[in-house]
Amino acid sequence: MAVSHLSVYHWPAADGRRGGTPHMHLTCSEGYVVTAGRGAVQTLTAAGYEETPLEPGTVAWFTPGTIHRLVEADGLRIVVLMQNSGLPEAGDAVLTLPPEHLADPEAYAAATAIPQGAPRAEQARAARARRDLALDGYRRLRDARDPQALADFHAAAAALVRPRLGDWRERWERGAAAAAAATGEQLDRLAAGDASHLADAAVRSRRPAEQGKFGMCGYLDVYRF
């Protein structure tokens, strides 16, 4: 599990809504715990388009393959929970760029990069530009109302990330898979009357490793575990 704290971008888009960059995860579920403000998450799946209201106390989540766009109405702030040991930070996300960008890995990388080490204003311009480009592709998908258009996006996204799947598998094996295996071992021990693992109990805490990072949906305070 990966945790971050998100303050949604306030930049207005062409449709007048303020918010983040529409994108999709290929292997990770994502959850929101709304802590302040109000807004919504727009989603697009094979079942169609939906808009889910978000307000303090709301918990919302969705599975891989859900195209999602956060929009804010009044200072929306969210705790974001991501599956698979931070795999999204290793690239498990594809932005809804127009098809010509998805077909060319170099064009996609150039269009989505945030210049590291550049002045913050330059990073903000890059984040906003990629957001607006992704909104162009998102609107095409949403307005097409064509299952084939969505299937084509899924196929293009899968092709784009295929070279990284070996690294993803290693991260999953070290993290989520290892944690699940450890739970299985503990259940086996308890079934055998062995509670010795409880002597290894520990307490840990973290402060954000990065604050105000330009994420896909907004400014992120990122925790490393």
Side-chain angles (χ1 to χ4, degrees):
M1 184 72 70
V3 178
S4 59
H5 195 260
L6 172 66
S7 177
V8 180
Y9 290 135
H10 61 278
W11 305 317
D15 61 359
R17 307 292 294 270
R18 304 191 304 271
T21 308
H23 62 282
M24 177 188 76
H25 300 288
L26 287 89
T27 65
C28 294
S29 293
E30 181 173 358
Y32 298 150
V33 180
V34 182
T35 59
R38 282 172 171 74
V41 58
Q42 299 177 346
T43 55
L44 183 63
T45 67
Y49 170 81
E50 293 184 57
E51 184 163 318
T52 302
L54 300 175
E55 60 183 22
T58 299
V59 176
W61 65 95
F62 41 85
T63 56
T66 304
I67 295 172
H68 50 287
R69 174 200 185 193
L70 274 172
V71 292
E72 74 109 22
D74 180 22
L76 184 61
R77 296 182 69 85
I78 294 171
V79 173
V80 182
L81 307 175
M82 297 295 305
Q83 193 182 18
N84 291 327
S85 309
L87 185 57
E89 291 187 12
D92 178 32
V94 173
L95 279 58
T96 55
L97 301 190
E100 59 269 23
H101 294 274
L102 296 173
D104 182 346
E106 291 185 1
Y108 180 87
T112 58
I114 302 295
Q116 300 303 307
R120 191 162 177 82
E122 184 177 339
Q123 292 183 334
R125 283 193 293 271
R128 187 169 183 174
R130 75 176 181 182
R131 190 278 308 264
D132 291 342
L133 186 61
L135 280 171
D136 181 20
Y138 168 72
R139 283 191 293 268
R140 296 189 202 184
L141 288 170
R142 189 185 64 187
D143 296 345
R145 301 179 185 275
D146 179 4
Q148 188 58 51
L150 189 59
D152 289 344
F153 172 73
H154 291 166
L160 195 62
V161 304
R162 191 169 295 122
R164 299 197 291 274
L165 293 182
D167 292 337
W168 291 9
R169 180 171 292 277
E170 288 181 10
R171 180 183 288 257
W172 168 75
E173 288 173 345
R174 293 194 308 269
T183 300
E185 181 181 348
Q186 291 162 1
L187 290 170
D188 291 341
R189 287 183 179 183
L190 290 171
D194 176 5
S196 59
H197 68 279
L198 300 179
D200 297 327
V203 178
R204 299 177 178 88
S205 66
R206 291 286 189 278
R207 296 288 300 167
E210 293 183 73
Q211 293 182 289
K213 177 182 177 181
F214 287 97
M216 285 173 283
C217 295
Y219 305 103
L220 291 176
D221 294 343
V222 179
Y223 295 80
R224 309 286 187 205
F225 294 94

